[in-house]
Amino acid sequence: MAKPKTTTTAKSTGTLFSGERVVYLILFALAFLLYANTIGHSYALDDRAVTFQNKFVQQGIGGFPEIMTTFYWNGFWEANAGLYRPMSLLVFAVEWQVAPNAPKFYHFIQVVMYALTCVLLYRLLRRLLKDYSKMLVLIATALFIVLPVHTEVVANIKSLDEILSLLFFILTMGQLLNYSDNQKPLSLVWASLLFYCALLSKEGAVLYFPMFALALFYFTKNTLRQIAIIMTPLAVIGLLWFLQHSYVIAHAPTQADAYTYQDNALIAISKEFSMDRLATATGIFGNYLYKLIIPYPLSYDYSYNEFPGTSFANPAVLLTLAAIIGLLFIAFRQLKKKTLLSFSILWFFITFLLTCNLFVLIGATMADRFLFIPSLGFCLAVGWLVSR
């Protein structure tokens, strides 16, 4: 007897443009055209330090060994700021190999990388937020693309480190979801390698580690034990990266420089922790929140005395403090319900921890680029509110 015929359905190949290719193309075009005007620009600000005045980048591929074994600014000057971000420098070295001293080409690559990252972000969110509407994801991604505070990141060649950091987060999260679905160890291997690339892009990527775990908790059916198992190889990679980072900085020809008020105006208030310094940092945090909603004025630099020292008697500081407490209260109150609003708030605060100056002083008072990664939480929250 002949076997009965069985019907089969075509399965998605999982390629970049499978399924929603029109949406992908529209999002890519939106991101590219929005910043296409920057392609004709020359170098700006710190661009010179990572391109035409960087002796390692100018060696092209031949500069890879020095880039991988020295601190971030070593190809430009001897000032050691304690940074180790070789990934973007490797990209610049390749670009220099292809087109030496061609800022228009570098800006073109920057815009393409931004557009590609936004498309992949949409793709990841569609997969991660499968229980939410497509419109929510579309609104959140489109808002992320057009958010004015991203201008510094896309228009400044040096800020490729921010774009690469987000790109590797997206790719890592995708592999973690693959493992969650198919339990294939190779997915965890890829996730670990991609997380390592994110860490080599920018130190702040270490804060992706808790966000990976939270994303698995909020949007998958994995138990806490399963999440812990999934996160173990990433924890090992994080430790190895930390040891590598520490070794490079410790064995640099010059010791790490201490920041001054010329780097971060909060140091002019107090070198040690003080309530006035905390109040001023809280006020600056309020400016970040304000710029997400009303992005004017934007600036390439917020230096000394842009934000004069203040105290907790300042109404604006108290308002900001109330907003922070209120948002965190909502996030933790809805933690057990695993709401998207809760995740969005936690994404904003966790990815902003190292650059908000509330806990550690960094080498800048304030910068629009510091909102690039955290702003995704804002965009998700807006998408959730609008879709409701």
Side-chain angles (χ1 to χ4, degrees), residues 151-372:
T151 301
E152 179 184 5
V153 168
V154 188
N156 186 7
I157 296 171
K158 177 264 172 192
S159 289
L160 181 64
D161 52 2
E162 300 279 358
I163 297 175
L164 289 174
S165 174
L166 179 59
L167 174 62
F168 285 118
F169 164 82
I170 293 168
L171 296 175
T172 305
M173 191 70 241
Q175 291 299 323
L176 292 178
L177 292 177
N178 287 345
Y179 180 80
S180 179
D181 292 340
N182 57 36
Q183 303 296 305
K184 293 182 178 179
L186 184 59
S187 296
L188 274 187
V189 173
W190 275 113
S192 301
L193 292 174
L194 291 166
F195 180 45
Y196 178 63
C197 291
L199 293 167
L200 293 181
S201 299
K202 192 174 182 183
E203 292 86 350
V206 70
L207 297 175
Y208 291 151
F209 184 82
M211 294 315 305
F212 290 136
L214 281 174
L216 292 170
F217 172 74
Y218 273 79
F219 307 119
T220 71
K221 296 180 180 180
N222 290 286
T223 64
L224 293 179
R225 181 177 180 277
Q226 290 170 328
I227 293 174
I229 293 173
I230 294 173
M231 296 303 297
T232 298
L234 271 65
V236 173
I237 287 295
L239 176 61
L240 293 176
W241 164 81
F242 177 76
L243 294 174
Q244 179 183 4
H245 185 288
S246 300
Y247 180 86
V248 169
I249 299 303
H251 289 78
T254 55
Q255 293 184 345
D257 295 333
Y259 294 126
T260 70
Y261 74 90
Q262 294 174 312
D263 302 302
N264 189 332
L266 291 169
I267 297 174
I269 298 173
S270 174
K271 291 185 178 180
E272 304 297 332
F273 174 82
S274 70
M275 293 304 292
D276 285 350
R277 196 182 82 181
L278 181 60
T280 306
T282 303
I284 294 173
F285 194 106
N287 276 275
Y288 279 117
L289 296 176
Y290 176 83
K291 286 183 182 294
L292 283 172
I293 302 170
I294 304 176
Y296 180 84
L298 299 176
S299 175
Y300 69 91
D301 181 53
Y302 301 89
S303 54
Y304 178 71
N305 218 31
E306 182 81 16
F307 302 101
T310 187
S311 69
F312 280 106
N314 187 328
V317 173
L318 292 177
L319 182 61
T320 300
L321 186 60
I324 292 173
I325 294 173
L327 289 170
L328 289 175
F329 175 79
I330 294 172
F332 286 108
R333 184 178 178 82
Q334 297 185 7
L335 182 64
K336 289 185 179 180
K337 296 181 180 179
K338 300 182 181 181
T339 67
L340 179 57
L341 181 60
S342 172
F343 178 82
S344 302
I345 294 172
L346 291 177
W347 172 276
F348 180 84
F349 279 97
I350 291 176
T351 59
F352 202 26
L353 279 176
L354 292 180
T355 50
C356 67
N357 276 314
L358 284 173
F359 305 100
V360 292
L361 291 185
I362 60 172
T365 309
M366 178 178 174
D368 295 341
R369 66 183 179 274
F370 296 153
L371 278 176
F372 182 66

Side-chain angles (χ1 to χ4, degrees), residues 69-102:
T69 56
T70 57
F71 63 87
Y72 184 58
W73 298 111
N74 198 33
F76 173 64
W77 58 11
E78 295 182 353
N80 182 0
L83 303 178
Y84 177 63
R85 303 174 182 176
M87 186 59 67
S88 60
L89 294 176
L90 294 176
V91 175
F92 295 141
V94 173
E95 291 177 348
W96 192 277
Q97 184 82 36
V98 174
N101 201 18

